[in-house]
Structure formats: structure tokens, C-alpha cells
């Protein structure tokens, strides 16, 4: 998961977009979203062999890494 540091929570944009929600509300909403995403992933992979799932995972992680690398090259 992507966890945030203290500076993230102090950021003005974050504070205004989550105004009034508090840490508990944020935790509940985040848990619901994570559950929906994981449920969809598990339904997609149901019935596939472990080899197929591993290939899909490796390709997906490689693509995300490549996109991150390409987007951060200009910094």
C-alpha cells in the first residue's frame, strides 16, 4: 500500500479535500475502496493457473515501474 508521511497530512490540498472527515472517516473510506479493488482483482484471477497470475502480475508491475521511470526522468 501507499502510506503517507506526516508532511502529506500537513499539506494544504490534502487538508482541504478531506476537511471534516478526520482520520477515522478516511480509514473507513480507504478500507471500502481497497476491499472493492481487491475483490475485483480476485474475481478476475479466479480460475486462472498460478503461472498465469504470476505472469500478469510481473507484466503489470513492470509496466507501472516503466511508467514511473519515464515520468520521473525529467526531474
Amino acid at each position: 500500500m501507499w502510506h503517507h508521511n506526516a508532511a502529506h497530512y500537513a499539506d494544504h490540498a490534502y487538508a482541504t479535500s478531506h476537511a471534516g472527515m478526520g482520520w477515522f472517516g478516511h480509514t473507513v473510506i480507504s478500507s471500502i475502496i481497497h476491499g472493492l479493488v481487491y475483490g475485483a482483482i480476485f474475481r478476475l484471477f479466479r480460475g486462472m493457473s498460478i503461472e498465469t497470475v504470476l505472469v500478469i502480475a510481473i507484466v503489470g508491475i513492470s509496466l507501472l515501474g516503466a511508467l514511473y521511470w519515464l515520468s520521473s526522468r525529467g526531474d
Side-chain angles (χ1 to χ4, degrees):
M1 295 302 97
W2 294 276
H3 297 285
H4 309 293
N5 59 26
H8 175 80
Y9 289 105
D11 182 65
H12 176 70
Y14 182 85
T16 56
S17 68
H18 291 77
M21 186 183 296
W23 70 268
F24 185 73
H26 177 78
T27 301
V28 170
I29 298 297
S30 178
S31 297
I32 291 170
I33 291 170
H34 281 93
L36 292 171
V37 169
Y38 290 140
I41 290 169
F42 291 141
R43 279 191 298 278
L44 280 172
F45 288 159
R46 184 176 295 145
M48 290 185 187
S49 68
I50 189 70
E51 293 85 8
T52 304
V53 172
L54 286 173
V55 168
I56 292 170
I58 290 168
V59 169
I61 291 169
S62 298
L63 287 174
L64 288 174
L67 287 172
Y68 175 77
W69 180 76
L70 287 171
S71 69
S72 64
R73 281 186 352 175
D75 291 340

